[in-house]
Amino acid sequence: MAKEEALWTPSAERVAASVVTAFIAKTNARHGTDLHNFRDLHAWSILRPDAFWEQVWDLGEVIGERGERALADGDRMPGAHFFPDARLNYAENLLRPRPREAVALIFRGEDKVRRQVSHGELCDLVSRLQQALRAAGVGVGDRVAATLPNLPETIAVMLATASLGAIFSSCSPDFGDRGILDRFGQIEPKVYVACDGYWYAGKRVSIAEKLKSVVPHLASAARTVIVPYLGEAEEVASALPNGVSLEAFIAPFAAAAPTFERLPFNHPLFILFSSGTTGVPKCIVHGAGNTLLQHIKEHRLHCDLSPGDRLFYFTTCGWMMWNWLVTGLASGLTLCLFDGSPFAPSPSVLFDYAAEERFALFGTSAKYIDALRKEGLKPGETHDLSALKAITSTGSPLAPADFAYVYEAIKADVHLASISGGTDIVSCFVLGDPTAPVYKGEIQAPGLGMAVEVWSDEGQRVFGERGELVCTRPFPSMPVMFWNDPDGAKYHAAYFDRFPNVWCHGDFAEWTVHGGIIIHGRSDATLNPQGVRIGTAEIYAQAEQVPEIVEAIAIGQEWDNDVRVVLFVRLKAGAVLDELLEKRIKTQIRTGASPRHVPAKIIAVNDIPRTRSGKITELAVREVVHGRPVKNTEALANPEALELYRDLPDLAN
């Protein structure tokens, strides 16, 4: 891969003023090292994880008792323990002292709701919720589950839960009743919190009937608390067993200073769920200190955010980026929340919000950026984005054309960071370096403290060729455990069966000549025509440059004792997949990728199935094409789309 010109290079002044530069200076002064740049710092963070994570603790001014040891059993994965003597509380760190009038949360619900919540108001609501949850019997280790939009109240419920040492879990209200029960039925919450409904694309969506199906099956829940969003909380609550509106739930309790139960560093904090497209979702448990330190590191060192900055991420409460977003309070950031369609009431709605509230970081998905490009939007010409320092993109690989689009149409002087990690680690393995150039199609750098490598099938390190993304040393945000996995067998099988004592993440990746990384897709979705491994992201990056294609999904179809590549495309309104368009698509893929990437079949479809966090589901499509059952369609946002791929005549020859 030849070197190419950078799309963006930070100025010398920006590098000098960065949090990374200050962190390096402190490291050199404290440890007598001679580090000069981010890459030096990364190498040192792998060599001295104990010292590195102690310094992250200090950077975040973590509230709690650190203890003597920073790392025990550091050669074991799983089995390593960071800060084994520490005691802290996640909520105490997020509600750290600030002026009562300081803006903590800003909320927009499409064009229906506009709110602002001060630090004092947030603390008061957390205090009342804390008292109400305690009165409902919630204590250390109990679970509180929530089906809520990305509201200020959602954050307050989470903080009240965490303050008690209980465990919080959430999903978004667009989940079906089976999807909710497949998740929360496993963890048996003591209190269940839901909304009365939500807005999407200007439409009012009540979930009252869905809750009537869900709540009777959550027998562990002593109370079901309904948060108002549509103004129907009282009516919805009255129709449910043990139902109560939020207002009535907290009415007996006056606001006071919240109290905080300090517990061990890796005490369970969140339960997140795998996508569940191949069976009942796995319940992934993340710890309090583990999550806190990892997010402080990413917000401060990788995103270059400082107290007072405004952090936005377009996310639902069913995606780990919500957990990532809310930890921003620990760094004194103001969180900008949004719920609803990112194109309602107009395609510019999020940039209207960004300009009005002066986002420092705009976080979103690769698919959103791609959709903006195809809409022809040029927010940089229509909006004041002078406060915007960084744009982050995740959920799927960001196509090279979309890298270029950001700099051409949104902002020329911005740190664009494609990032990749996942629910499994509630953070990132590879992400941004605010002190280094950005190159088209590449993620900039491995995460600090993350011993990221790319390995061949034989377990050898490789550079400049595709392989498995692995992490060879422990890091704090490894899951504490899987729920209902007493001997750890499911946990071990998920990450450590392939390479003993090495985390195998399941991404197909490649180092670049710039020291960056390209994610070529999930390993289990990798295509193998004629025994050659091909990442689906490489095909999408080319196919979606064809103007008629809105989006695409590729699978490997078992055929004639081999595998052939099949590409399904969703076309713009009015476009037709004729011979001429098919030829153009194949030519684009052949010249932009390679002849091996060219699909044997191209088929137009009206919809592409995706998970509720917006990721397309190659595995589900592959199963349907082969006539095999998809085990858990409740994990999909649009399961009806799978029928478009069943028994297709074009795939029978």
Side-chain angles (χ1 to χ4, degrees), residues 1 439 441-444 463-464 510-518:
M1 186 183 300
Y439 293 93
E442 299 182 20
I443 298 174
Q444 285 177 289
F463 298 89
E510 175 187 5
W511 290 112
T512 74
V513 293
H514 308 114
I517 202 162
I518 297 171

Side-chain angles (χ1 to χ4, degrees), residues 306-595:
S306 297
D309 282 343
R310 294 191 165 187
L311 170 62
F312 168 80
Y313 224 102
F314 178 68
T315 179
T316 71
C317 297
W319 192 20
M320 58 135 294
M321 294 312 302
W322 180 83
N323 307 80
W324 189 91
L325 168 68
V326 298
T327 308
L329 289 171
S331 291
L333 307 177
T334 295
L335 308 186
C336 296
L337 316 177
F338 183 88
D339 191 76
S341 167
F343 295 99
S346 75
S348 67
V349 62
L350 296 186
F351 286 97
D352 297 342
Y353 189 13
E356 182 178 349
E357 299 298 346
R358 300 188 62 77
F359 295 173
L361 185 145
F362 186 118
T364 187
S365 67
K367 287 296 181 186
Y368 172 76
I369 294 174
D370 193 61
L372 290 178
R373 176 174 65 83
K374 289 172 177 171
E375 285 278 344
L377 261 66
K378 296 185 177 180
E381 296 179 4
T382 55
H383 293 75
D384 176 8
L385 302 177
S386 55
L388 191 62
K389 297 193 294 187
I391 296 173
T392 57
S393 166
T394 191
S396 58
L398 185 65
D402 293 326
F403 273 80
Y405 165 77
V406 167
Y407 286 102
E408 292 163 2
I410 299 179
K411 190 173 185 183
D413 183 21
V414 71
H415 176 211
L416 172 60
S418 179
I419 65 178
S420 182
T423 299
D424 313 78
I425 64 169
V426 73
S427 58
C428 303
F429 276 121
V430 289
L431 63 170
D433 170 5
T435 67
V438 172
Y439 293 93
K440 187 186 297 184
E442 299 182 20
I443 298 174
Q444 285 177 289
L448 294 166
M450 312 292 275
V452 175
E453 297 180 6
V454 176
W455 281 17
S456 68
D457 288 343
E458 295 73 36
Q460 301 298 312
R461 294 181 70 179
V462 294
F463 298 89
E465 63 181 82
R466 296 161 178 79
E468 291 284 349
L469 181 75
V470 302
C471 192
T472 61
R473 299 190 184 185
F475 52 93
S477 63
M478 292 186 297
V480 174
M481 60 180 175
F482 285 0
W483 200 256
N484 295 327
D485 181 30
D487 61 357
K490 293 178 184 176
Y491 181 16
H492 192 279
Y495 312 114
F496 302 105
D497 266 4
R498 183 158 185 195
F499 303 118
N501 210 43
V502 170
W503 178 291
C504 185
H505 193 53
D507 277 344
F508 194 40
E510 175 187 5
W511 290 112
T512 74
V513 293
H514 308 114
I517 202 162
I518 297 171
I519 304 293
H520 292 294
R522 293 293 295 170
S523 299
D524 52 11
T526 298
L527 311 176
N528 290 279
Q530 300 172 5
V532 178
R533 298 182 81 191
I534 292 173
T536 53
E538 300 170 271
I539 296 176
Y540 305 149
Q542 300 306 319
E544 292 178 5
Q545 290 187 51
V546 176
E548 290 87 345
I549 295 178
V550 176
E551 60 180 347
I553 187 168
I555 66 159
Q557 182 194 13
E558 296 162 11
W559 188 258
D560 195 20
N561 297 316
D562 195 3
V563 172
R564 66 180 180 182
V565 178
V566 179
L567 180 68
F568 299 96
V569 294
R570 183 165 72 88
L571 302 176
K572 285 185 175 178
V576 176
L577 184 64
D578 54 19
E579 287 186 18
L580 184 60
L581 178 55
E582 186 168 332
K583 183 178 179 180
R584 283 173 47 218
I585 294 169
K586 289 184 174 181
T587 300
Q588 176 68 42
I589 294 170
R590 180 180 292 107
T591 56
S594 82

